[in-house]
Amino acid sequence: MNHSIYSADRTTHLKIVVVALVAGIAVAGFGISARTFSDDGSTQTARVVKAGKPVVVTSTNTMVVR
């Protein structure tokens, strides 16, 4: 039994790499399959936001004269 990654033999390193790859593929597969698809025709529409009056934000109570 190897208690350190430094003293581990070649097969132990290979096992670690294989387990990491399988776990990464599983997480990526789950993430791709978890996406929701809706075919109910609800598409996004662009909304126009018009600018209002200018606002001045200060940390003091003095008036700003422009």
Side-chain angles (χ1 to χ4, degrees):
M1 179 168 290
N2 297 317
H3 296 288
S4 174
I5 192 70
Y6 297 114
S7 65
D9 56 352
R10 185 177 203 143
T11 57
T12 303
H13 283 287
L14 184 62
K15 288 177 188 177
I16 291 171
V17 169
V18 168
V19 168
L21 284 173
V22 169
I25 291 170
V27 168
F30 178 74
I32 291 171
S33 67
R35 293 178 19 191
T36 58
F37 294 104
S38 61
D39 292 332
D40 58 357
S42 61
T43 59
Q44 294 182 351
T45 58
R47 297 181 184 208
V48 177
V49 179
K50 294 185 178 181
K53 294 182 179 179
V55 177
V56 177
V57 178
T58 62
S59 60
T60 62
N61 291 331
T62 60
M63 292 183 58
V64 176
V65 179
R66 292 190 175 192

